Amino acid sequence: MKNFGNTEVLKGVNFNLEKGEVLSIIGSSGNGKTTLLRCLNNLETADVGEIIVDGKTVFPVQDLEENVLKPLTFGMVFQSFNLFPQYSALSNITLAMNARAARTLKQKGLKFFERRKEYNRIKLENKEIAETLLKRVGLKDKMNNYPCELSGGQCQRVAIARALALSPEILCFDEPTSALDPELTGEVLKVIKNLRDEGHTMIIVTHEIEFAKNVSDKVLFMADGQVEEFGSPDQVLVNPKSELTKQFLQSFLGNK
């Protein structure tokens, strides 16, 4: 559950997801979809509830310092990219990786020169990882370009590579194509499909109903801050039981 002041945004959201599955979350704007993702990623703090991944409680956080250093559970790809404009595509990816390395080495209590030597070694490794990720998303030739020199679709692919760089267990997408022109949407959706084929566990907030139908193992329809319907794509998108789900799909598809 999550409140902002007197406004209940999430009124109780429960769902399960198996490793390697893709969950698409659909629903009208203002029904809590983005807030749910932000709570999963610790960008907002839920007021009540638990998040359990692989049998381990990742929320509430027991030890903040330990949580920062342990492997990442969730990775986030934002609707508006959120790239740093002053850094190249490559540096946007390595920034968090290098910061994490510096913090980890500091915790080990190494002497300054030992720490610096190890940090420089890890930085080179991180650069190689970032280059490989940019190649995976089709941007090997753009690694030295700045966000202002990239199209919206290219920026979003850099953002996907950045999220992958920290090897999260679950990758979250917040309407990854909504800020893109239709002609650029396909290139981003292709990358997400490839990630699905590689076995990544993903949660995708999207208005791309056909894409959700084709890529998802499960679909969750949210209304008024809670789960209205949850099931397979056929159950939710083809043969919904809820009247609210039916109305949403008819209205949404009717406006296409």
Side-chain angles (χ1 to χ4, degrees):
M1 300 177 68
K2 176 64 180 176
N3 297 336
F4 290 112
N6 294 323
T7 304
E8 285 185 295
V9 180
L10 298 177
K11 300 180 180 179
V13 178
N14 296 289
F15 66 89
N16 65 290
L17 189 63
E18 298 295 326
K19 186 174 182 178
E21 287 187 332
V22 177
L23 168 68
S24 286
I25 301 177
I26 63 171
S28 301
S29 298
N31 280 285
K33 304 185 301 298
T34 293
T35 301
L36 173 59
L37 285 194
R38 291 180 65 85
C39 286
L40 292 176
N41 283 271
N42 268 333
L43 298 172
E44 299 286 353
T45 302
D47 298 319
V48 179
E50 284 186 321
I51 301 170
I52 300 173
V53 178
D54 197 20
K56 299 176 183 178
T57 300
V58 298
F59 179 83
V61 177
Q62 303 299 319
D63 186 326
L64 184 59
E65 186 67 25
E66 180 184 342
N67 189 63
V68 168
L69 297 176
K70 71 183 182 181
L72 195 65
T73 303
F74 294 95
M76 183 79 156
V77 177
F78 297 90
Q79 179 178 346
S80 54
F81 324 137
N82 283 20
L83 299 179
F84 292 102
Q86 70 271 37
Y87 293 118
S88 67
L90 186 71
S91 294
N92 262 284
I93 297 171
T94 58
L95 190 65
M97 301 168 75
N98 293 339
R100 187 181 183 89
R103 186 156 189 166
T104 302
L105 290 172
K106 186 177 180 181
Q107 292 295 317
K108 289 184 177 181
L110 298 175
K111 293 181 180 179
F112 175 76
F113 289 107
E114 292 177 329
R115 191 165 73 234
R116 192 163 118 181
K117 181 180 179 181
E118 183 66 6
Y119 177 67
N120 287 336
R121 183 190 66 78
I122 294 173
K123 276 182 68 177
L124 287 175
E125 288 183 353
N126 288 344
K127 182 175 181 291
E128 292 177 0
I129 292 170
E131 289 174 352
T132 299
L133 288 170
L134 284 170
K135 183 178 179 180
R136 278 177 64 187
V137 298
L139 293 174
K140 183 180 179 181
D141 61 333
K142 301 291 185 182
M143 65 178 62
N144 294 317
N145 289 68
Y146 290 84
C148 65
E149 300 172 321
L150 302 173
S151 70
Q154 289 170 337
C155 284
Q156 192 61 291
R157 283 186 279 160
V158 172
I160 292 171
R162 179 180 59 183
L164 288 170
L166 293 175
S167 301
E169 295 180 57
I170 302 169
L171 195 56
C172 300
F173 296 83
D174 184 16
E175 298 188 27
T177 61
S178 65
L180 303 178
D181 294 332
E183 62 193 75
L184 300 176
T185 295
E187 64 188 48
V188 174
L189 296 183
K190 181 180 179 182
V191 171
I192 297 174
K193 285 181 180 178
N194 288 340
L195 293 173
R196 180 251 170 91
D197 294 340
E198 292 171 7
H200 288 272
T201 308
M202 295 187 285
I203 301 174
I204 307 169
V205 168
T206 184
H207 286 300
E208 300 283 344
I209 301 299
E210 276 303 311
F211 175 72
K213 188 184 300 182
N214 293 329
V215 80
S216 306
D217 298 287
K218 295 174 179 175
V219 175
L220 186 155
F221 172 63
M222 285 187 68
D224 196 26
Q226 54 195 343
V227 178
E228 178 66 23
E229 194 153 2
F230 177 69
S232 70
D234 279 346
Q235 289 173 319
V236 178
L237 300 178
V238 180
N239 299 298
K241 295 179 180 178
S242 164
E243 286 301 319
L244 286 178
T245 310
K246 292 177 184 178
Q247 291 171 18
F248 168 78
L249 291 172
Q250 289 170 359
S251 174
F252 186 84
L253 295 176
N255 290 329
K256 284 291 186 178

